[in-house]
């Protein structure tokens, strides 16, 4: 089934390379008009040129989503060029990997500013338009935010924060016809190159192009009833992740003693720390 996005005005942050570039190209191929974003003019222009060469429509916006005022300008670029904004893909990101004991405040804050606050800044700007028109938002998280990853305390915190933020976005914007979902993609990019040789069981990261179709699907009318979800996709395996829920509940109305805590918190009710094949592969290597 081909998806026709029929001129959908779209912003894809961090779309000059990697997954963002694949998302932008796939959306444009499906008919969306795309604002290509990145921090380096050359790669941003190259992606926009590739879209136009393939017969699509693209404009550029160079800047960092860590700058709140730039995020406002980014959305205004889409509205000014294409008349509105119908899709926002919050993909921009970077990594500054260090173990917890070696992490600096600067490295922590830089990653959170781009991933988490950048997502909020772009959503807050887009929502001012979408509350009148409706729209789609895809917030990019990561397995690191779902199950953790060694050396990525800043990145994992930011990506987990995006999951929590999306729940609020859904609560507040669904009434305006805005459907917002989280996608945790797995693909071979500059950011995942750090794990080369570290993933057990000969797992190989798939190319970004194999992951892009799910973003096209979430942008289309076929996904009109999908909102508030956390999905992961690696080009082969698609998973729907649960919302937080209690897996074991014990009540003592007369108060708790140490023995009662011990009887309630047994190994049988503890949750696995790494349910995902990619995270487990890194952990066991």
């Amino acid at each position: 089934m081909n998806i026709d996005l029929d001129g959908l005005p779209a912003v894809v942050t961090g779309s000059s390379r990697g997954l963002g570039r694949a998302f932008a190209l796939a959306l444009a191929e499906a008919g969306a008009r795309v604002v290509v974003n990145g921090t380096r003019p050359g790669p941003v222009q190259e992606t926009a040129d590739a879209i136009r060469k393939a017969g699509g429509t693209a404009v550029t916006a160079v800047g960092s989503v860590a700058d709140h005022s730039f995020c406002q300008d980014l959305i205004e670029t889409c509205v000014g060029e294409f008349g509105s904004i119908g899709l926002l893909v919050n993909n921009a990101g970077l990594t500054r990997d260090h173990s917890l004991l070696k992490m600096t405040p600067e490295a922590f804050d830089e990653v959170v500013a781009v991933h988490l606050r950048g997502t909020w800044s772009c959503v807050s700007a887009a929502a001012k338009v979408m509350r009148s028109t409706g729209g789609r938002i895809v917030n990019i998280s990561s397995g690191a935010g779902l199950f953790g990853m060694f050396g990525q305390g800043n990145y994992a915190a930011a990506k987990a924060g995006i999951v929590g933020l999306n729940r609020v976005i859904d609560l507040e914007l669904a009434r305006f016809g805005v459907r917002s979902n989280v996608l945790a993609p797995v693909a071979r990019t500059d950011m995942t190159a750090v794990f080369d040789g570290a993933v057990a069981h000969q797992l190989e990261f798939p190319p970004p192009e194999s992951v892009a179709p799910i973003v096209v699907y979430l942008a289309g009318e076929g996904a009109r009833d999908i909102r508030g979800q956390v999905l992961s996709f690696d080009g082969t395996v698609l998973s729907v992740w649960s919302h937080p829920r209690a897996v074991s509940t014990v009540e003592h109305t007369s108060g708790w003693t140490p023995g009662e805590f011990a009887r309630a918190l047994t190994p049988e009710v503890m949750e696995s720390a790494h349910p995902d094949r990619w995270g487990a592969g890194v952990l066991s290597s």
Side-chain angles (χ1 to χ4, degrees):
M1 177 181 70
N2 292 326
I3 296 174
D4 184 2
L5 298 182
D6 191 25
L8 178 71
V11 171
V12 183
T13 70
S15 47
S16 64
R17 60 180 182 169
L19 277 166
R21 185 178 192 275
F23 296 157
L25 288 168
L27 289 165
E29 184 179 1
R33 296 172 292 171
V34 182
V35 178
V36 178
N37 161 253
T39 58
R40 296 193 299 159
V44 170
Q45 188 62 54
E46 190 280 328
T47 299
D49 289 344
I51 289 173
R52 296 187 193 111
K53 184 177 180 180
T57 302
V59 297
T60 62
V62 178
S64 172
V65 298
D67 181 346
H68 182 73
S69 63
F70 171 75
C71 294
Q72 310 295 312
D73 294 341
L74 177 61
I75 302 305
E76 289 175 7
T77 296
C78 187
V79 174
E81 293 285 341
F82 303 141
S84 187
I85 177 168
L87 170 68
L88 169 63
V89 182
N90 282 305
N91 171 78
L94 52 78
T95 54
R96 297 289 183 265
D97 293 353
H98 301 282
S99 67
L100 290 174
L101 297 180
K102 295 180 179 179
M103 184 79 65
T104 65
E106 293 77 14
F108 194 93
D109 290 347
E110 184 181 8
V111 170
V112 171
V114 172
H115 288 274
L116 182 54
R117 188 162 55 76
T119 294
W120 168 77
S121 292
C122 289
V123 169
S124 67
K128 293 179 176 66
V129 180
M130 289 183 175
R131 64 184 175 185
S132 298
T133 63
R136 304 87 153 166
I137 299 172
V138 180
N139 294 315
I140 303 301
S141 184
S142 166
L146 300 177
F147 50 78
M149 194 68 72
F150 187 94
Q152 293 191 325
N154 48 5
Y155 182 71
K159 288 305 193 182
I162 287 172
V163 175
L165 176 60
N166 191 77
R167 294 193 177 104
V168 177
I169 294 169
D170 180 58
L171 287 171
E172 295 189 3
L173 300 185
R175 58 185 171 144
F176 299 121
V178 177
R179 60 178 193 262
S180 180
N181 294 285
V182 172
L183 174 64
V186 176
R188 181 174 182 81
T189 67
D190 291 345
M191 289 173 63
T192 59
V194 67
F195 297 114
D196 284 354
V199 178
H201 317 305
Q202 287 74 52
L203 293 176
E204 294 184 3
F205 290 109
E209 295 76 17
S210 68
V211 179
I214 191 171
V215 173
V216 177
Y217 179 74
L218 290 173
E221 281 305 303
R224 59 184 173 273
D225 296 325
I226 301 176
R227 65 173 184 82
Q229 299 301 306
V230 179
L231 310 173
S232 64
F233 185 56
D234 65 6
T236 302
V237 178
L238 173 66
S239 299
V240 179
W241 290 71
S242 66
H243 298 293
R245 61 174 66 115
V247 297
S248 176
T249 301
V250 179
E251 181 178 1
H252 287 289
T253 57
S254 59
W256 283 75
T257 67
E260 285 162 343
F261 284 118
R263 285 188 290 273
L265 300 176
T266 61
E268 292 75 21
V269 302
M270 296 296 104
E271 285 285 275
S272 169
H274 283 268
D276 177 89
R277 65 174 181 153
W278 295 97
V282 172
L283 182 68
S284 61
S285 60

